[in-house]
Amino acid sequence: LFRLKLPKLRIRALGLNCGMYDMTAQAAQMPRKGLSLDYLGKDLPADDPRFRVTEAITSSYPPAFLTTACHDFLREWAQPMHQLLSDRGVESQWRCYGTEEDKTVGHVFHVNILLEDAVRCNDDTAAFFRQYC
């Protein structure tokens, strides 16, 4: 019998980028279609307890660097997540990149390394992570 021995893993910090964090609040405001159905399936009801992921966040949650962009369709969820983390004693930083005028800086902008804001976001994220090495 082969047993896989997993290494001990300790997450020292994490990045939360352009995300959907409070699934229960979002499920109440957004219809279950598109990506929601792709990720979660049509048989999972909006009030399923597995959507309540923020309830599991305690002061032992790793420090988090939250990013969003002016034209990210999930932008409105970043600052409340930052506030929730702060309220629970979790170190976190929150940044919004881009400008109202530049519509190229949208959802998951940070993966487009041709954007100046993406480079700045990735540099800022790496600097945040370096604090916890």
Side-chain angles (χ1 to χ4, degrees):
L1 179 70
F2 175 75
R3 290 190 183 201
L4 179 65
K5 182 171 179 163
L6 298 175
K8 289 194 177 220
L9 177 68
R10 180 176 159 244
I11 298 172
R12 295 182 180 147
L14 52 89
L16 302 173
N17 301 2
C18 302
M20 184 178 278
Y21 307 111
D22 183 350
M23 300 292 285
T24 53
Q26 289 159 324
Q29 292 182 16
M30 300 172 73
R32 293 283 306 280
K33 62 182 182 181
L35 284 178
S36 175
L37 287 176
D38 291 342
Y39 286 132
L40 305 170
K42 65 179 189 239
D43 298 325
L44 193 60
D47 62 349
D48 188 288
R50 291 174 286 184
F51 281 132
R52 296 194 297 262
V53 295
T54 55
E55 290 178 10
I57 295 174
T58 67
S59 61
S60 61
Y61 197 78
F65 190 76
L66 291 96
T67 62
T68 192
C70 285
H71 293 281
D72 180 2
F73 69 95
L74 297 175
R75 171 183 166 185
E76 68 184 278
W77 302 105
Q79 198 283 329
M81 179 60 167
H82 168 64
Q83 187 64 52
L84 180 132
L85 292 170
S86 296
D87 291 347
R88 300 218 178 136
V90 177
E91 181 184 339
S92 66
Q93 293 181 25
W94 168 65
R95 301 277 188 283
C96 183
Y97 294 87
T99 63
E100 291 297 327
E101 298 77 34
D102 185 0
K103 297 191 186 310
T104 63
V105 185
H107 186 61
V108 296
F109 72 98
H110 58 285
V111 299
N112 181 353
I113 60 171
L114 300 178
L115 292 175
E116 187 177 311
D117 283 298
V119 172
R120 188 169 45 257
C121 173
N122 291 320
D123 287 347
D124 292 347
T125 303
F128 180 82
F129 287 156
R130 278 193 290 277
Q131 297 175 68
Y132 301 97
C133 292

